[in-house]
């Protein structure tokens, strides 16, 4: 509401009638009108002078765009030649480099899947099937099924690994999270307790501990001779961890539904399962989509923690690229590059979330009510 | 929304690590022969490494290169006669020892310092020391000193939070010379202090100093002095209890050292095949009796040298004078040339 109001003032015809000096007065009041405004203005100017300007000088003016590490050492700016030389390694890590295209296809498949899922027009039951098929295909291509030359998972790395870990982590956590949320609200006491115990334990420990247990302690518990792939173990750990957060989000969605919805469908004679499938979940899940996007962004960024179990995710390949003896120590460039990629994708996701929110609000303006309170800012 | 708390990372890892190590100690140490059986059925050796230029790092194509990496490849040659039947996994310093205990790796070649605590309390075996590191001094050549004992009244940069400060004080007290310590926290500042002339020398582990020098604009103008102020012997580590695997690690490393002592290199190894010296015949497997006795490929030493070269070649190729790291051999040369490398006889 307030946003719409200020928008209408900004576009009002009165503003256009302001003379130059009056307009300046308005600016001056905004910039220097009160001690607080003055402090903010000065702080911002200082930020530009002491942070932004030196950064741009480093990143653009003094930068070296091509050549060798020696050329870079002679200039004081960023060494983008390093990124050019190492881009392949940063993107794909230890993946066999004559078959990088396989990893690229896997990323393209998963990327299109995510983008398509973002469009409300595809939201129907068939989407579940599409997810299973496309993720399966991406994994098959990545593991080298096309060329019949298997690429062991310890060679998977870089951007494809980050994308796969986060997208599969999210997709796997989704059904599990819904099941946990329903179990937590179940009338069966044992089921409810188990769900509560799982959710609280997972939310009570850091992801890094879950990963650590999956890599180091879990194999000790397996019978001798049995082994589960390390990447698979890490992936399962991520799914279980995210499912706990997912369950809480879904639970919030369930609680936001007025009791009348349940009562009405019961009085129509619908079974529990049908009630959930046709009445409750569609509304509850729709209400918490922004929270899902938020969780997704968080997960995408937090998969970098797999570095502690020795997996070469995107951030780790960027870091390790700077340990090449011929390109020693270009960590600032490596991290800047990685940050740029992470930021672009996260920013796109957050803009998408805003767009979706406004779209959902338009579609359901008549039912605007309590459930939108769960939306995160 | 801070969902995933990272603040307690270190604490958790340390606690879990301690827990895990004690749990696996209860479960019992490795049995003799177990490791080699596992390696053979798996078809590759699992090696835990770190990431440090020259020592272990993937190149632009994602192939692991480095000083310690070559010893991992040497092990693969001993067991499989194939330098690529080895999987390197980088692990963080907090994680690597518990991971070795958990069986994640067959051997750690990540630059672990051999200490008595690690041998007894953590239950590790150490193979032969393959790199003698220790606190060193890096100075500008323009200073005109060639030995640490010539530094008198120097200003010396020490990074805070290390034992370096105590060691350097001891060193100067012993030499009856004076110095002014400058404690610097930030790594970048620490490096630039010497380049800008704010300090006369930097002190830290010699391998770190060499890597920092490699990042200088003019690395040639700086000299790593020969003294070592502390002992950081880096050795391969394996789980305690598997003597057979320990011996394989031992003799793989010894083969590279012995080859250098014999003067056998990657280039000339074939010419030694016709040597009449019984010691060389045994060493290269021309006389197969030795290999048969120990249950290895009698030509394992030959294969290692043919593929990777002797210790000196591995050193020079990865971290030696011709590389950007530019490390001097120092203690890391055969005992016959005044170093500390010594292989027991192959007989």
């Amino acid at each position: 509401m307030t946003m719409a109001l200020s928008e209408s003032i900004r576009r009002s015809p009165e503003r256009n009638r302001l003379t130059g000096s009056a307009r300046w007065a308005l600016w001056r009041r905004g910039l220097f009108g009160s001690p607080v405004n003055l402090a903010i203005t000065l702080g911002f100017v200082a930020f530009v002078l002491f942070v932004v300007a030196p950064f741009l000088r480093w990143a653009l003016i003094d930068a070296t765009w091509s050549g060798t590490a020696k050329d870079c050492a002679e200039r004081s700016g960023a060494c983008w030649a390093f990124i050019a030389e190492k881009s392949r390694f940063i993107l794909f890590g230890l993946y066999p480099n004559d078959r990088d295209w396989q990893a690229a296809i896997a990323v393209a498949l998963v990327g299109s899947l995510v983008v398509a899922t973002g469009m409300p027009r595809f939201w129907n039951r068939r989407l579940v099937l599409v997810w299973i098929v496309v993720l399966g295909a991406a994994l098959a291509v990545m593991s080298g099924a096309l060329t019949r030359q298997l690429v062991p998972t310890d060679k998977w790395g870089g951007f494809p690994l980050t994308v796969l870990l986060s997208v599969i982590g999210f997709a796997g956590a989704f059904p599990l999270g819904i099941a946990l949320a329903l179990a937590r609200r179940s009338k069966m006491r044992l089921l409810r307790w188990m769900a509560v115990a799982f959710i609280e334990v997972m939310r009570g420990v850091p992801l890094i501990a879950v990963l650590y247990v999956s890599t180091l302690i879990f194999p000790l518990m397996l019978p001798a001779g049995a082994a589960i792939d390390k990447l698979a173990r890490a992936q399962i750990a991520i799914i279980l961890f995210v499912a706990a957060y997912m369950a809480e989000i879904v639970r919030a969605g369930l609680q936001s539904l007025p009791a009348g919805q349940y009562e009405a469908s019961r009085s129509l004679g619908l079974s529990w399962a049908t009630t959930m499938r046709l009445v409750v979940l569609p509304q509850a899940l729709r209400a918490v989509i922004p929270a899902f996007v938020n969780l997704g962004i968080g997960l995408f960024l937090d998969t970098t923690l797999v570095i502690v179990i020795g997996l070469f995710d995107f951030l780790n390949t960027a870091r390790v690229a700077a340990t090449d003896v011929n390109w020693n120590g270009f960590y600032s460039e490596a991290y800047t590059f990685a940050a740029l990629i992470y930021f672009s994708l996260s920013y796109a996701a957050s803009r998408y979330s805003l767009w979706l929110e406004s779209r959902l609000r338009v579609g359901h303006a008549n039912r605007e009510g309590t459930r939108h309170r769960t939306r995160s800012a | 929304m801070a969902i995933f708390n990272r603040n307690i990372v270190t604490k958790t890892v340390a606690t879990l690590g301690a827990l895990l190590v004690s749990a696996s100690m209860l479960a019992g140490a490795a049995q003799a022969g177990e490791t080699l059986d596992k390696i053979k059925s798996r078809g590759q050796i699992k090696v835990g490494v770190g990431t440090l230029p020259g020592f272990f790092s993937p190149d632009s194509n994602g192939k692991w290169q480095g000083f310690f990496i070559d010893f991992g490849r040497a092990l693969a040659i001993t067991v499989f006669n194939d330098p690529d039947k080895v999987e390197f996994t980088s692990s963080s310093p907090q994680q690597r020892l518990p991971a070795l205990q958990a069986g994640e790796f067959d051997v750690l070649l990540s630059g672990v310092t051999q200490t008595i605590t690690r041998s007894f309390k953590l239950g590790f075996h150490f193979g032969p020391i393959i790199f003698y590191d220790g606190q060193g001094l890096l100075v500008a050549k323009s200073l005109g000193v060639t030995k640490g004992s010539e530094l008198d009244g120097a200003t010396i940069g020490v990074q805070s939070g290390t034992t370096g400060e105590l060691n350097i004080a001891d060193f100067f007290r012993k030499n009856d010379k004076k110095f002014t310590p400058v404690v610097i926290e930030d790594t970048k500042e620490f490096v630039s202090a010497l380049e800008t002339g704010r300090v006369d020398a930097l002190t830290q582990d010699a391998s770190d100093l060499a890597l920092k020098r490699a990042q200088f604009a003019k690395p040639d103008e700086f000299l790593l002095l020969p003294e070592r102020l502390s002992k950081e012997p880096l050795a391969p580590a394996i789980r305690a209890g598997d003597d057979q695997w320990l011996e394989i690690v031992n003799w793989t490393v010894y083969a590279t050292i012995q080859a250098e002592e014999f003067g056998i290199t990657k280039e000339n190894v074939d010419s030694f095949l016709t040597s009449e010296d019984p010691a060389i015949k045994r060493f290269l497997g021309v006389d197969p009796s030795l290999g048969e006795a120990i249950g290895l490929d009698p030509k394992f030493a030959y294969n290692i040298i043919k593929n990777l070269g002797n210790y000196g070649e591995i050193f020079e190729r990865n971290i030696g004078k011709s590389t950007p790291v530019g490390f001097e051999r120092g203690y890391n040369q055969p005992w016959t040339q005044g170093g500390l490398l010594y292989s027991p006889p192959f007989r």
Side-chain angles (χ1 to χ4, degrees), chain A residues 11-41:
Chain A
R11 292 196 185 143
S12 68
E14 290 103 87
R15 196 185 160 89
N16 292 340
R17 269 190 258 122
L18 288 175
T19 60
S21 65
R23 200 174 289 175
W24 167 237
L26 207 64
W27 268 92
R28 203 175 49 195
R29 209 170 57 216
L31 293 175
F32 312 111
S34 71
V36 175
N37 287 14
L38 182 68
I40 292 174
T41 306

Side-chain angles (χ1 to χ4, degrees), chain A residues 85-86 88-89 94 97 154 206 208-209 212 216-217 220 230 241 245 302 308 310 312 319-320 323-325 328 332, chain B residues 3-4 6 9 12 16 20 51 53 57-58 60-62 87 89-90 95 98-99 102 104 188 211 215 324-325:
Chain A
E85 162 73 21
K86 289 287 176 184
R88 192 253 136 220
F89 179 79
L94 303 174
N97 72 343
D154 62 87
I208 200 159
Y212 207 66
L216 299 180
I217 298 181
L220 291 177
K230 182 163 96 174
F241 188 79
Y245 287 90
D302 278 299
V308 301
F312 273 80
R319 183 187 67 85
V320 168
T323 64
D324 185 333
V325 69
N328 182 2
S332 309
Chain B
I3 319 176
F4 308 143
R6 293 169 202 236
V9 164
T12 314
L16 281 169
L20 182 70
T51 41
S57 147
S60 300
N61 296 324
E87 176 196 316
T89 307
S90 95
Q95 190 221 349
E104 182 84 1
K188 275 208 156 155
L211 292 173
Q215 294 175 40
V325 185

Side-chain angles (χ1 to χ4, degrees), chain A residues 36-282:
Chain A
V36 175
N37 287 14
L38 182 68
I40 292 174
T41 306
L42 287 180
F44 185 73
V45 169
F47 176 75
V48 170
L49 277 181
F50 294 109
V51 179
V52 177
F55 176 79
L56 289 180
R57 189 184 169 83
W58 173 80
L60 301 171
I61 301 172
D62 290 341
T64 313
W65 298 90
S66 63
T68 64
K70 239 189 161 55
D71 302 328
C72 288
E74 282 160 15
R75 292 173 61 91
S76 58
C79 180
W80 301 121
F82 160 76
I83 297 295
E85 162 73 21
K86 289 287 176 184
S87 56
R88 192 253 136 220
F89 179 79
I90 296 175
L91 282 177
F92 297 110
L94 303 174
Y95 205 80
N97 72 343
D98 53 332
R99 274 173 286 157
D100 286 342
W101 57 272
Q102 288 178 180
I105 290 179
V107 169
L109 280 173
V110 174
S112 338
L113 183 65
V114 171
V115 170
T117 307
M119 299 178 195
R121 86 175 90 136
F122 292 121
W123 291 355
N124 54 45
R125 206 154 298 154
R126 240 174 309 163
L127 197 59
V128 176
L129 193 69
V130 173
W131 267 79
I132 295 171
V133 170
V134 175
L135 281 185
L139 285 177
V141 176
M142 187 79 184
S143 61
L146 282 188
T147 48
R148 296 181 180 225
Q149 267 179 298
L150 282 188
V151 181
T153 55
D154 62 87
K155 297 264 182 255
W156 297 19
F159 192 64
L161 185 70
T162 294
V163 168
L164 284 174
L165 277 178
S166 37
V167 173
I168 297 181
F170 198 84
F174 192 69
L176 194 60
I178 292 175
L180 279 169
L182 292 177
R184 189 168 186 167
R185 285 168 59 89
S186 162
K187 289 197 176 63
M188 286 178 264
R189 198 173 290 173
L190 184 65
L191 191 65
R192 192 168 68 234
W193 283 354
M194 276 163 54
V196 169
F198 177 86
I199 293 171
E200 294 308 328
V201 167
M202 278 298 175
R203 289 191 346 139
V205 294
L207 175 58
I208 200 159
V210 180
L211 285 173
Y212 207 66
V213 168
S214 82
T215 324
L216 299 180
I217 298 181
F218 181 69
L220 291 177
M221 301 174 192
L222 288 177
I228 302 176
D229 184 82
K230 182 163 96 174
L231 181 60
R233 276 184 269 137
Q235 181 73 77
I236 291 168
I238 290 176
I239 289 176
L240 294 179
F241 188 79
V242 176
Y245 287 90
M246 190 84 81
E248 289 300 276
I249 293 177
V250 175
R251 190 167 68 102
L254 292 174
Q255 280 176 341
S256 70
L257 279 195
Q261 294 287 322
Y262 295 89
E263 286 155 10
S265 65
R266 175 155 302 174
S267 64
L268 285 172
L270 298 182
S271 71
W272 181 85
T274 321
T275 304
M276 286 301 151
R277 193 161 56 84
L278 296 179
V279 180
V280 175
L281 282 180

